[in-house]
């Protein structure tokens, strides 16, 4: 069964505007960790932000914030003030206590327009 | 600079040949991982290692082999038994043995393997 679902294969945003990338997940564990990675065309996966299931506040890292809605099992990434360099693939991932690895979604390709 | 290096960046292989992809890290991380990425898809785990001289199979280990003789090195061999090896291969490491929920994985630049 698909653990991580990213329903937006591609997204477009105008430079300097905010954009939300969707991620829903499926787990029966009360404890889990959620991650977002950026993959530019060069291929390297760059860690952006982490949210723990018991964290009281939504995670923020600079222009990145995570809209965490536990009851809905969603962990959407919000990028504020988009820049041309934000154009990339974005992957949502989850770690559960029973696993020693992370499960990745299929990704969303973000294109920032000038 | 601390980080993860993978070599080569591009690799071409003839059918029936084994090839080895290199992954080295100087972050002093305990755990290391190998993932495969196919076009338009997310990452799938091939193998991971939490400690030297120990490793476990991931979801798609068939046709691959690994070793972990040193903490900083985790080479992946793609054998001739792998039916469709053309893909992008990413190596990662994490500080703990991969058991902490917040244990972030950091990735190398990847190796693109093409079978001719």
């Amino acid at each position: 069964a698909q653990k991580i679902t990213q329903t937006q294969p591609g997204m477009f945003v105008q430079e300097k505007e905010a954009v939300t990338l969707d991620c829903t997940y499926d787990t029966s564990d009360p404890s889990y960790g959620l991650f977002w990675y950026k993959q530019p065309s060069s291929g390297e996966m760059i860690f952006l932000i982490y949210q723990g299931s018991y964290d009281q506040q939504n995670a923020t890292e600079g222009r990145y914030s995570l809209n965490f809605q536990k009851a809905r099992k969603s962990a959407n990434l919000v990028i504020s003030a988009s820049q041309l360099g934000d154009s990339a693939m974005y992957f949502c991932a989850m770690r559960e206590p029973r696993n020693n690895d992370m499960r990745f979604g299929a990704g969303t390709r973000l294109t920032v327009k000038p | 600079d601390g980080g993860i290096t993978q070599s080569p960046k591009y690799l071409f292989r003839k059918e029936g040949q084994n090839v080895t992809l290199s992954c080295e890290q100087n972050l002093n991380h305990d755990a290391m991982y190998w993932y495969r990425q196919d076009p338009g898809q997310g990452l799938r785990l091939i193998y991971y290692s939490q400690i030297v001289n120990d490793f476990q199979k991931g979801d798609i280990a068939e046709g691959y082999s690994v070793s972990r003789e040193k903490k900083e090195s985790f080479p992946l061999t793609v054998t001739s038994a792998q039916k469709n090896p053309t893909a992008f291969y990413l190596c990662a490491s994490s500080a703990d043995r991969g058991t902490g929920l917040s244990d972030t994985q950091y990735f190398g630049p990847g190796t693109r393997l093409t079978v001719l």
Side-chain angles (χ1 to χ4, degrees):
Chain A
Q2 187 74 9
K3 289 278 191 178
I4 299 286
T5 302
Q6 295 181 251
T7 57
Q8 308 152 313
M11 288 282 287
F12 292 88
V13 64
Q14 206 67 34
E15 192 178 7
K16 299 180 184 178
E17 292 185 349
V19 63
T20 297
L21 306 182
D22 295 341
C23 173
T24 58
Y25 56 90
D26 181 28
T27 180
S28 57
D29 281 309
S31 301
Y32 49 88
L34 297 160
F35 301 78
W36 276 92
Y37 285 86
K38 172 185 178 181
Q39 187 179 41
S41 57
S42 59
E44 184 173 356
M45 297 282 282
I46 302 167
F47 167 69
L48 296 178
I49 196 166
Y50 166 80
Q51 178 85 43
S53 61
Y54 289 120
D55 291 345
Q56 295 296 313
Q57 294 187 341
N58 287 346
T60 60
E61 287 288 348
R63 293 187 299 111
Y64 304 108
S65 61
L66 207 151
N67 183 3
F68 180 47
Q69 299 185 47
K70 193 170 183 176
R72 299 179 62 182
K73 293 187 177 179
S74 74
N76 299 339
L77 178 70
V78 181
I79 305 175
S80 62
S82 296
Q83 302 172 355
L84 295 178
D86 293 335
S87 293
M89 285 288 291
Y90 288 82
F91 292 93
C92 180
M94 177 176 66
R95 179 194 294 281
E96 298 168 287
R98 71 186 73 178
N99 297 324
N100 287 315
D101 65 318
M102 289 197 292
R103 301 289 167 168
F104 287 81
T108 295
R109 180 173 298 280
L110 177 66
T111 302
V112 180
K113 295 182 174 181
Chain B
D1 285 338
I4 304 172
T5 57
Q6 291 186 242
S7 61
K9 187 172 183 177
Y10 298 96
L11 186 57
F12 298 90
R13 188 196 93 173
K14 293 182 180 179
E15 284 194 32
Q17 287 182 337
N18 292 355
V19 289
T20 298
L21 282 59
S22 169
C23 177
E24 304 274 336
Q25 55 98 0
N26 61 4
L27 301 168
N28 200 33
H29 284 177
D30 283 326
M32 297 186 74
Y33 311 79
W34 274 106
Y35 290 91
R36 169 179 171 144
Q37 186 179 27
D38 292 286
Q41 297 186 31
L43 279 62
R44 292 183 292 167
L45 183 68
I46 305 172
Y47 269 99
Y48 67 96
S49 168
Q50 295 174 288
I51 195 171
V52 173
N53 292 323
D54 187 49
F55 47 83
Q56 286 79 41
K57 294 182 179 180
D59 296 328
I60 57 167
E62 185 176 350
Y64 300 97
S65 66
V66 293
S67 63
R68 186 87 187 275
E69 297 177 2
K70 298 185 295 182
K71 187 176 183 178
E72 59 270 22
S73 178
F74 192 40
L76 173 74
T77 297
V78 184
T79 74
S80 57
Q82 169 51 233
K83 299 300 182 188
N84 185 19
T86 295
F88 188 54
Y89 291 86
L90 283 158
C91 178
S93 70
S94 62
D96 295 331
R97 294 184 180 180
T99 54
L101 289 176
S102 62
D103 192 25
T104 301
Q105 293 184 15
Y106 295 93
F107 287 80
T111 292
R112 193 166 299 279
L113 173 64
T114 302
V115 174
L116 304 173

